[in-house]
Amino acid sequence: MTADHVFTALASPARRELLRLLLEEGGQPAGRLAERFDMSRPSVSEHLRVLRDAGLVAETRKGRERHYRLEPAPLMEIRDWLTPYERFWREKLVNLTTLLDEMEDEDDARRQDG
């Protein structure tokens, strides 16, 4: 899958919530996942299909049920892609903190002089 597919899948709050549930609670049947949403079961199934097509979840059949589990590899690829941007913004925030501290020190010095 491409990063575009993963980002498209992650664009939906419902799909992000499905991933959160699978992360925190482990694999489970589609029916149990659907019970957690205020939407029809076919709608939840469509969201699960998008996640599956993006490689974010795996589907297995157990009798008549479809069970889903989180597949973290695509998220790790996105994390790796985002890492340089995270470093960039972390550096910018450190610089901003330094500037604000310097401004506060100058303001304190002016108050003491004045």
Side-chain angles (χ1 to χ4, degrees):
M1 279 302 117
T2 67
D4 289 346
H5 287 100
V6 175
F7 280 120
T8 298
L10 294 174
S12 164
R15 292 192 285 269
R16 291 192 305 269
E17 179 63 10
L18 283 164
L19 291 176
R20 186 192 67 77
L21 290 170
L22 292 171
L23 172 67
E24 293 178 359
E25 300 174 7
Q28 50 195 294
R32 187 179 318 149
L33 290 165
E35 291 170 357
R36 310 288 285 279
F37 292 86
D38 188 24
M39 66 177 83
S40 69
R41 186 170 174 163
S43 293
V44 173
S45 293
E46 178 63 21
H47 285 297
L48 288 166
R49 184 191 61 76
V50 171
L51 291 170
R52 186 193 67 222
D53 290 349
L56 292 164
V57 299
E59 174 189 274
T60 54
R61 289 181 182 244
K62 293 183 181 178
R64 292 178 47 180
E65 289 185 324
R66 292 175 189 232
H67 286 247
Y68 291 88
R69 72 178 186 287
L70 181 66
E71 288 292 329
L75 293 172
M76 294 171 73
E77 291 174 23
I78 296 300
R79 182 204 58 201
D80 293 345
W81 181 81
L82 287 171
T83 297
Y85 299 97
E86 179 184 2
R87 277 190 233 121
F88 170 82
W89 284 110
R90 189 173 290 139
E91 181 181 312
K92 295 296 182 195
L93 290 172
V94 166
N95 292 342
L96 177 61
T97 300
T98 302
L99 176 64
L100 291 173
D101 288 345
E102 290 170 0
M103 290 172 65
E104 185 177 353
D105 291 345
E106 289 174 9
D107 195 38
D108 289 345
R110 268 187 251 138
R111 281 191 211 131
Q112 290 176 356
D113 290 341

